[in-house]
Amino acid sequence: MNIKFYKPKSEILQQYIEGYYFLTNKKTDSVVEYFTFPNNFSIISIIENAQIIYSENRGMIKEKQGAPFLSDLICHYKKPIKLSYEGNINEVTFYFKPLGLNAFLNKSLCNYTNDFFSNFIPFDDYKECFTSIFKENEFEKKRQLIEEYWLSKLIGFQHPFLNNVIADLKNIENDYSVADLAKKYGVSRQNFTKHFEFNLCKSPSDYKKIQRFREALKSQIKKSSKDNLTSLSYDMLFYDQSHLIKDFKSLTGLTPKKFFKTISSKEDGEINWLFV
């Protein structure tokens, strides 16, 4: 298997898309399996000539020539997902920043997903365009076509408070509760939660839990010497070390110590896999 990750060349798209990767797997390759872990991105995977066999928190991607166009949206998983690849597979996967995908859609994000993997065909020309892109042999031309397509669909996204809330939660010096944030922006907690579920497909508490986990992950991966768990708990505003361990087990299935020994990272810890 070969995976190449890229940041968008377009400065405009960089505001909305964290990055995208191209994955190729050959029939002669051994079956590859890996775990991917919860994040707050909206993820779109487009795969050519393949089928996905779904089960709870697992996807098996197998070559199937002549299979229907496959485009999936994943944006509300809270457990590790185990993925496996078998046969000749070509895939492009996009990681949209929190709220980023909303800037390209006519309806709230929740209207496009209701399951673990949701079939995602948001535009009339979407299937035709990406089918054509897969046929492009020149790699840089392929990237150009992809970015031109997303730019052509950009309509922007305005919200009275969610963009500011996302910034609040990313700042590790803050330790806002959901009630604190609802009060800060002058809405009821119930209404505050509905806005998260409509536009991010997760509750505020789940978003906060995943964000804190991701910030801890980036902090550890960037350091040449790893912090002990007590220090990491304090720095990332976990209540204590047991809170840190509980969240890591919930989101990865592993203790922090074992997780950091085995993780593979792309782009400063934003996207992570554990190969098995």
Side-chain angles (χ1 to χ4, degrees):
M1 175 186 286
N2 184 40
I3 300 172
K4 294 182 179 179
F5 183 90
Y6 299 91
K7 296 282 189 179
K9 290 183 176 182
S10 165
E11 292 183 1
I12 296 174
L13 289 180
Q14 288 171 16
Q15 300 174 54
Y16 306 100
I17 300 176
E18 182 66 27
Y20 52 94
Y21 67 78
F22 295 92
L23 180 153
T24 56
N25 192 77
K26 297 180 180 179
K27 185 172 291 188
T28 53
D29 294 338
S30 300
V31 176
V32 177
E33 294 185 316
Y34 68 86
F35 287 95
T36 182
F37 303 101
N39 56 59
N40 286 323
F41 298 132
S42 298
I43 304 169
I44 299 171
S45 286
I46 306 171
I47 308 176
E48 181 183 41
N49 291 323
Q51 62 176 336
I52 299 182
I53 301 171
Y54 304 104
S55 59
E56 186 177 1
N57 295 322
R58 177 163 188 171
M60 300 173 63
I61 299 95
K62 294 187 175 184
E63 177 186 359
K64 185 178 181 181
Q65 293 298 318
F69 180 80
L70 192 60
S71 173
D72 283 309
L73 172 62
I74 308 166
C75 56
H76 48 70
Y77 68 104
K78 297 184 286 185
K79 299 290 183 181
I81 296 177
K82 186 177 184 179
L83 298 173
S84 63
Y85 288 80
E86 183 178 344
N88 291 319
I89 306 292
N90 288 313
E91 173 185 330
V92 58
T93 291
F94 300 92
Y95 281 72
F96 284 81
K97 295 182 178 184
L99 298 175
L101 185 52
N102 289 277
F104 301 84
L105 303 176
N106 292 314
K107 300 178 182 178
S108 298
L109 185 63
C110 67
N111 290 283
Y112 297 86
T113 175
N114 56 14
D115 207 345
F116 173 45
F117 285 88
S118 295
N119 187 41
F120 183 72
I121 309 289
F123 316 112
D124 291 340
D125 63 347
Y126 181 82
K127 177 180 176 180
E128 179 183 3
C129 178
F130 278 99
T131 299
S132 176
I133 286 172
F134 271 117
K135 293 177 180 177
E136 174 58 53
N137 293 321
E138 186 183 344
F139 183 71
E140 288 303 318
K141 179 65 174 178
K142 183 177 293 189
R143 289 190 65 191
Q144 177 187 337
L145 291 171
I146 284 172
E147 296 200 15
E148 286 177 351
Y149 183 77
W150 285 118
L151 284 169
S152 75
K153 301 303 180 183
L154 181 61
I155 57 176
F157 177 75
Q158 301 295 325
H159 192 277
F161 59 81
L162 275 181
N163 287 291
N164 291 328
V165 171
I166 298 306
D168 286 337
L169 291 174
K170 190 165 186 176
N171 185 345
I172 62 172
E173 294 181 1
N174 296 329
D175 192 20
Y176 290 112
S177 68
V178 175
D180 290 337
L181 287 167
K183 183 178 180 179
K184 179 178 179 180
Y185 293 100
V187 295
S188 69
R189 180 165 180 169
Q190 183 180 20
N191 195 25
F192 186 81
T193 297
K194 283 183 178 178
H195 282 276
F196 260 77
E197 291 173 345
F198 287 163
N199 297 290
L200 291 156
C201 294
K202 52 179 63 70
S203 70
S205 57
D206 284 338
Y207 185 98
K208 182 180 178 181
K209 176 180 177 180
I210 292 170
Q211 180 65 33
R212 185 166 45 207
F213 159 69
R214 284 285 163 180
E215 292 299 327
L217 195 53
K218 287 193 290 183
S219 174
Q220 285 292 88
I221 289 172
K222 287 179 179 180
K223 292 178 180 178
S224 55
S225 58
K226 306 304 182 188
D227 289 341
N228 61 48
L229 296 187
T230 301
S231 176
L232 184 62
S233 302
Y234 176 79
D235 289 345
M236 295 296 117
L237 300 179
F238 289 91
Y239 302 127
D240 51 30
Q241 184 174 322
S242 63
H243 182 207
L244 169 70
I245 293 171
K246 181 181 177 182
D247 276 8
F248 264 72
K249 280 188 173 181
S250 171
L251 295 170
T252 70
L254 301 169
T255 63
K257 184 176 181 180
K258 186 171 183 179
F259 180 81
F260 286 120
K261 280 185 176 180
T262 54
I263 194 68
S264 299
S265 304
K266 302 290 181 186
E267 297 301 315
D268 297 329
E270 288 291 2
I271 299 170
N272 307 97
W273 296 292
L274 173 59
F275 288 92
V276 294

